Amino acid sequence: MLTRRRLLLALASAAAVIAAGLSLTQLSKPFHKQEEVESTVKAEGRIKLPEPSYESRVSIEKAILLRRSRREYRDEPITLKQLSQLLWAAQGITESRYGFRTVPSAGATYPLEVYVVVKSGGVEGLEAGIYHYLPKTHEIELVKLGDYSRELMKASLDQEWVGAAPINLVINAVYERTTRHYGDRGVRYVHMEVGHLGQNIYLQCISLGLACVVVGAFYDEEVKRIVGGVGEPLYVIPVAVPVEPWKL
């Protein structure tokens, strides 16, 4: 088991190294108001999420102290309120005039799209399926019904924590939203942005008593086929209730 885990972690590290090979040519800093993101399904497929909370009993310092990658989960669902909080932490709106979000974005171009792969019984009161987060209205829209957790695990080199988690966040990037303003340098900005998002998820998980790990080792085309959304996948992030509660 330990050898298998080390192999998977090594593959994930190799994927990160490949992703880091960036072309850097153009550097400018225009400001761009948030662009509208096209919905992938009709309005009747949308679900309004509970309002996110803006306070918790866990300080930011404590969350940073406890942040870990964890891969052992209980076979328990998360709540819709917890899902709402996670999605807000990932890409939620924090300022209405310009549509600023919870993570910094070069020129406010916001190239990231968040999808949720929900397994059967993974979220209380929510059917298994793939959902797309709509930051502007704090809703999720159904992309397709069904439990795709096992398929996603296979596409992620059979990393068992992907299949075990009640939900997986899949973070896609539409590079053109940023590179059309910054050229090749925009690729770097997109990768920086997804890192900011990943840390937000880690810290929000601590606050919610959940666990997660960011996964970068997967077959891109398979993940794209399974999710059926827009953009290129950069992260798969399983989120779950940890086997053991957080402690130092």
Side-chain angles (χ1 to χ4, degrees), residues 154-166:
K154 291 183 180 299
S156 302
L157 309 183
D158 283 317
Q159 296 180 71
E160 58 264 31
W161 36 91
V162 174

Side-chain angles (χ1 to χ4, degrees), residues 52-122:
S53 299
Y54 306 126
E55 296 180 355
S56 79
R57 292 176 293 179
V58 180
S59 70
I60 186 66
E61 293 84 4
K62 191 63 173 287
I64 292 171
L65 180 66
L66 294 176
R67 189 219 61 79
R68 298 289 185 276
S69 293
R70 299 185 68 174
R71 301 171 178 83
E72 296 180 353
Y73 310 135
R74 292 183 182 273
D75 185 16
E76 295 180 12
I78 68 170
T79 67
L80 192 63
K81 172 66 174 175
Q82 288 173 321
L83 177 60
S84 168
Q85 196 68 34
L86 289 163
L87 293 173
W88 176 81
Q91 282 285 280
I93 301 295
T94 58
E95 193 274 347
S96 58
R97 182 181 179 189
Y98 292 107
F100 292 151
R101 302 188 186 182
T102 50
V103 299
S105 178
T109 50
Y110 299 115
L112 303 180
E113 296 291 330
V114 181
Y115 295 87
V116 191
V117 180
V118 179
K119 72 188 300 185
S120 295

Side-chain angles (χ1 to χ4, degrees), residues 91 101 110-116 130 132 152 169-175 177 190 193-194 197 218 220 223-237:
Q91 282 285 280
R101 302 188 186 182
Y110 299 115
L112 303 180
E113 296 291 330
V114 181
Y115 295 87
V116 191
I130 295 174
H132 174 225
L152 187 63
L169 303 178
V170 178
I171 315 302
N172 286 5
V174 182
Y175 284 95
R177 293 180 193 163
V190 172
E193 187 167 337
V194 79
L197 182 153
F218 48 76
D220 292 17
V223 172
K224 287 169 65 175
R225 179 189 63 79
I226 293 165
V227 171
V230 297
E232 302 297 321
L234 296 181
Y235 270 157
V236 172
I237 310 178

Side-chain angles (χ1 to χ4, degrees), residues 30-36 96-100 107-110 181:
F31 175 84
H32 304 283
K33 190 172 180 178
Q34 177 186 351
E35 297 176 5
E36 293 292 333
S96 58
R97 182 181 179 189
Y98 292 107
F100 292 151
T109 50
Y110 299 115
H181 302 294

Side-chain angles (χ1 to χ4, degrees), residues 105-145:
S105 178
T109 50
Y110 299 115
L112 303 180
E113 296 291 330
V114 181
Y115 295 87
V116 191
V117 180
V118 179
K119 72 188 300 185
S120 295
V123 178
E124 294 176 0
L126 190 63
E127 289 186 273
I130 295 174
Y131 298 84
H132 174 225
Y133 179 51
L134 303 172
K136 186 174 180 180
T137 55
H138 195 56
E139 296 174 314
I140 52 175
E141 58 178 1
L142 178 65
V143 178
K144 53 186 175 181
L145 286 172

